[in-house]
Amino acid sequence: MVNTDVLSAILDDAFSEIYIVDCASLRLLDVNRTARENLQHDAATLATMVLPDLATNLSAANYHDLFDSLDSGKNGQMRLEAVHLRADGSQYPVELRLHRYLGNGADAAAYVVIG
């Protein structure tokens, strides 16, 4: 098995933006360096944000519907398009992959920006 410190470093250095999200609150639990740089926010600021703060075209209700769909077994993962908002007010289009994890008392999702 890979050491958790090594895994953390690999994910932080990934080319894709990777977000770990609490499905109930939509709070960002962890955000890799690529995402922090693209969004122009530091980790402390992102820790206070929720998914709708990032994607201007998706509401909290949209995210909850998406996660509910993943939970119901209709989809193991989901692909969608969104528009992310940077700290400077500029926007950029993203292609997302959502994967939900339910286990060990966690209800979290990986929110990965492809490209």
Side-chain angles (χ1 to χ4, degrees):
M1 290 303 280
V2 176
N3 175 306
T4 57
D5 291 336
V6 172
L7 181 59
S8 180
I10 290 169
L11 293 175
D12 206 42
D13 288 341
F15 177 75
S16 297
E17 295 177 32
I18 301 173
Y19 306 80
I20 305 301
V21 180
D22 177 273
C23 292
S25 68
L26 303 179
R27 184 133 336 263
L28 303 174
L29 302 175
D30 198 4
V31 179
N32 77 340
R33 182 176 43 236
T34 302
R36 293 190 306 267
E37 289 174 358
N38 284 342
L39 291 169
Q40 304 167 342
H41 285 296
D42 60 28
T45 300
L46 288 165
T48 69
M49 299 173 76
V50 293
L51 281 178
D53 295 331
L54 303 181
T56 59
N57 62 324
L58 296 169
S59 69
N62 294 138
Y63 280 112
H64 286 297
D65 288 345
L66 293 168
F67 291 139
D68 287 346
S69 176
L70 290 172
D71 182 41
S72 70
K74 293 178 189 172
N75 299 297
Q77 61 181 319
M78 190 169 294
R79 180 200 158 283
L80 64 144
E81 295 179 0
V83 178
H84 275 186
L85 179 65
R86 292 185 177 105
D88 69 3
S90 64
Q91 298 180 352
Y92 62 104
V94 294
E95 180 182 329
L96 306 172
R97 298 278 198 265
L98 295 176
H99 307 270
R100 190 169 188 178
Y101 173 74
L102 294 165
N104 296 329
D107 184 7
Y111 177 102
V112 180
V113 174
I114 305 301

